[in-house]
Amino acid sequence: MAQLDTLDLIVLVALLVGTVAYFTKGTYWAVPKDPYAGSYAAANGAKSGKSRNILEKMEESGKNCVVFYGSQTGTAEDYASRLAKEGSQRFGLKTMAADLEDYDYENLDSFPEDKIAMFVLATYGEGEPTDNAVEFYEFIHGEEVSFSEGQSVEEKPLSKLKFVAFGLGNNTYEHYNAMVRRVETALRKYGAERIGEPGEGDDGAGTMEEDFLAWKEPMWTALQEKMGLEEREAVYEAVFSITERDDLEPTSSEVYLGEPNKNHLEGTSKGPYNSHNPYIAPIAESRELFNDKSRNCLHMEVDVSGSNLSYQTGDHVAIWPTNSGQEVDRFIDILGMTDRRNTVISVKGLDPTARVPFPTPTTYDAAVRYHMEICAPVSRQFVDTMAPFAPDEASKAEMKKIGQDKDYFSEKVASRYLNIAQVMETVCSSQKWTAVPFSMFIEGMNKLQPRYYSISSSSIVQPKTISITAVVEEIKVAESKYVVKGVTTNYLLALKEKQHGTANPDPNGLTYAITGPRNKYDGIHVPVHVRHSNFKLPSDPSKPIIMIGPGTGVAPFRGFIQERAALAKKGENVGQSVLFYGCRKPDEDFLYKDEWEAMKENLGDKLTIHTAFSRQTSEKIYVQQRLKEQAEIVNDLLQNGKANVYVCGDAANMAREVNIILGQIIAEKRGLTPEKGEDVIKSMRAQGSYQEDVWS
């Protein structure tokens, strides 16, 4: 065999490399970049490769106004987007909305004097920051804040920063709007100049939207004066471009049909699973808890053994819902898009700072079904924005009136809980609303959010199976042809019916795409993740606990008592557990009645349950009354046993009244003034021995 010289070897190697390169193109190199790989596919939600320098980002994109948001359910994010859009269209500001978790804040002391920062901050739970605002809050509210130029508090390092602030809170909580208050105070402490008054929206009073609208007008006036802005007529300008893709079919492998990120699209879903990346969990068990055929309450268990998900007793599980077929059809039909619902579209931000809220390419149907809050309450401002695109002059005038007249909006829309498609139907059902840009809905509607439920199981008893307890929601409104139906609870009911053999479940007249995108959920899986909570049992199991949880408020206490029963069975010393539970009738909706008896076998006299039935007799009895009746025992457990108190359920009435009654019990039994009794409760809250898991 002839010897190969050096030149021959070089040529052969070059040919080999070229051949390998050709056949691996698109697989190992020159792979088309997925624009959602950062925010959707990255399991931990990290935005790798992106600058965390907000000043650099503003400079690169030519922005002079940034609207930061701390959002848990999407409302604060929506308000931030609306402020950014309004600032651009009405006042010519170069705006951007910014997720607080995407940036670092040490260089806020270098914030240019000719720019403005806006903060839209929701308060979560008991005065806590939202998940995406934790790092910012810990930085700005920390004891030793270190800015880039090393100035001390006395030197006012943020003296160049001008800001406005709006908070989203709920007055039924102890720490109402704590986030915006604390952040506003901290910013001013470091020398920042606040423009206008800080706004506070109150979800507890049901006035959040009107509070926001009432705040922003004087804020804009103050900002105009401070920055010399000139107002102009606001005309709708799209933030996103929508391109219909003739080159793609819905069946094309790169088209998202409801998958939340690229890993799910490719069938390679992997952890960590979190608020950016759900785990598609098998439903291990589901059953009906009520004996009342007019109502439903579900017990469901999801199996997380195939994931890295873990939970602790008292945590929350997030369910990722889909919109019902009825509402998807209504929305698509009123826009005249029925024949185009499965058309593939690409959505792209027209501004480099605009973030598309779902992965594309996708279809109109998938975007509406899996990603848009089409059943949410309607914003008056959004109705006003839509007015110029109504089908005829009469409809335009009506939309304008609804959007600009607060009382008329309340009468026609808010009091009837209408969603946006129902508003369009009510205003004009004889014509399709074909002139409304689809981009307007992407910009103006919240992203479909996961719904959180208190986990009703113990992590030491069933570490790989998470229990959910949920009442199926339905609200009938007088003088309205529409019935408000819970998006997620009816979805869960459909899944339960499917698991029990119903081929095509349609609970309460609703159908759902329960098989999921490309049949990946096959009707017996549900997307979930876990959110950790501070609602926790004492670390010492011998410590007494008092639990107040009527209705499905008993959910976490099933987990608490399940855990204590298991510990007692092992021979551990378990403290007194007292549960105050209420429902309508003992033979109708007494949740887990048989289970309590079984747990009592292990706990014996360490478990006491006081029941209150509101429909059993002519006299309506509630847990608040039972609490008063057991005042002596309650005070003894608090004073001598140093018991922890846990309250779960309705924030507006039950939780608030329980708080008052416990203060009264303490004052009366200890010979204190009512004010001192209240102080004891406040002290318990501060120490973590009075905990709430409540909702409005």
Side-chain angles (χ1 to χ4, degrees), residues 65-173:
C65 175
V66 58
V67 190
F68 294 111
Y69 60 85
S71 187
Q72 194 72 33
T73 63
T75 306
E77 181 178 0
D78 174 52
Y79 284 3
S81 297
R82 285 161 62 180
L83 285 174
K85 195 171 182 64
E86 190 170 353
S88 172
Q89 294 178 2
R90 279 181 65 185
F91 302 102
L93 286 166
K94 304 300 182 184
T95 61
M96 63 177 286
D99 188 329
L100 277 169
E101 72 177 351
D102 287 352
Y103 299 96
D104 298 321
Y105 299 94
E106 290 84 355
N107 63 350
L108 281 181
D109 55 348
S110 300
F111 201 89
E113 293 183 87
D114 61 344
K115 299 187 189 323
I116 183 75
M118 299 184 177
F119 293 89
V120 183
L121 304 170
T123 297
Y124 168 63
E126 291 302 305
E128 300 156 28
T130 56
D131 291 347
N132 74 317
V134 171
E135 288 185 17
F136 167 72
Y137 177 72
E138 290 178 347
F139 171 77
I140 202 71
H141 203 255
E143 291 184 7
E144 296 183 10
V145 179
S146 177
F147 291 104
S148 61
E149 296 181 7
Q151 290 180 308
S152 65
V153 178
E154 292 74 20
E155 293 174 295
K156 304 299 181 186
L158 299 185
S159 58
K160 299 175 187 175
L161 177 67
K162 297 179 182 66
F163 76 97
V164 302
F166 182 82
L168 296 82
N170 187 315
N171 71 13
T172 60
Y173 287 76

Side-chain angles (χ1 to χ4, degrees), residues 238-280:
V239 174
F240 302 108
S241 67
I242 312 292
T243 305
E244 296 190 352
R245 300 285 299 272
D246 295 333
D247 59 320
L248 292 174
E249 295 293 328
T251 53
S252 300
S253 61
E254 64 263 49
V255 175
Y256 291 83
L257 296 181
E259 295 91 349
N261 58 46
K262 190 174 183 181
N263 284 339
H264 283 267
L265 176 68
E266 296 177 344
T268 56
S269 170
K270 58 184 178 182
Y273 298 103
N274 50 34
S275 59
H276 299 274
N277 184 40
Y279 173 63
I280 311 304

Side-chain angles (χ1 to χ4, degrees), residues 193-268:
E193 179 185 357
R194 191 192 70 219
I195 298 174
E197 293 298 316
E200 294 187 352
D202 187 1
D203 191 45
T207 59
M208 181 72 78
E209 177 70 15
E210 292 303 328
D211 292 337
F212 174 69
L213 296 179
W215 164 78
K216 72 180 182 66
E217 287 310 315
M219 180 276 293
W220 286 126
T221 300
L223 201 58
Q224 274 183 277
E225 295 173 358
K226 188 68 182 178
M227 298 189 69
L229 304 177
E230 291 186 12
E231 185 171 4
R232 60 192 187 187
E233 184 180 357
V235 179
Y236 173 72
E237 298 170 2
V239 174
F240 302 108
S241 67
I242 312 292
T243 305
E244 296 190 352
R245 300 285 299 272
D246 295 333
D247 59 320
L248 292 174
E249 295 293 328
T251 53
S252 300
S253 61
E254 64 263 49
V255 175
Y256 291 83
L257 296 181
E259 295 91 349
N261 58 46
K262 190 174 183 181
N263 284 339
H264 283 267
L265 176 68
E266 296 177 344
T268 56

Side-chain angles (χ1 to χ4, degrees), residues 593-604:
K593 184 178 180 180
D594 295 336
E595 289 189 21
W596 303 129
E597 294 302 319
M599 292 182 205
K600 199 167 177 60
E601 290 182 12
N602 290 328
L603 288 168

Side-chain angles (χ1 to χ4, degrees), residues 492-612:
L492 291 176
L493 181 55
L495 290 170
K496 177 251 180 187
E497 290 181 359
K498 178 70 174 179
Q499 189 178 42
H500 286 260
T502 304
N504 299 296
D506 59 343
N508 297 314
L510 302 178
T511 58
Y512 288 86
I514 57 175
T515 59
R518 293 182 169 87
N519 198 36
K520 289 174 180 174
Y521 304 171
D522 64 23
I524 52 171
H525 289 72
V526 62
V528 303
H529 73 268
V530 170
R531 183 175 71 187
H532 296 294
S533 162
N534 293 324
F535 197 74
K536 292 288 180 284
L537 279 165
S539 55
D540 178 3
S542 67
K543 190 172 186 178
I545 58 174
I546 299 170
M547 300 161 285
I548 302 102
T552 54
V554 81
F557 303 138
R558 177 181 181 264
F560 281 17
I561 297 172
Q562 192 181 64
E563 183 153 314
R564 289 205 153 186
L567 293 174
K569 190 173 182 179
K570 291 180 181 178
E572 290 199 32
N573 180 26
V574 174
Q576 186 71 35
S577 301
V578 180
L579 171 64
F580 290 86
Y581 172 69
C583 63
R584 293 183 180 181
K585 296 180 180 179
D587 57 351
E588 184 177 291
D589 56 354
F590 194 154
L591 300 182
Y592 304 114
K593 184 178 180 180
D594 295 336
E595 289 189 21
W596 303 129
E597 294 302 319
M599 292 182 205
K600 199 167 177 60
E601 290 182 12
N602 290 328
L603 288 168
D605 60 4
K606 292 293 182 72
L607 173 61
T608 306
I609 301 178
H610 299 286
T611 53

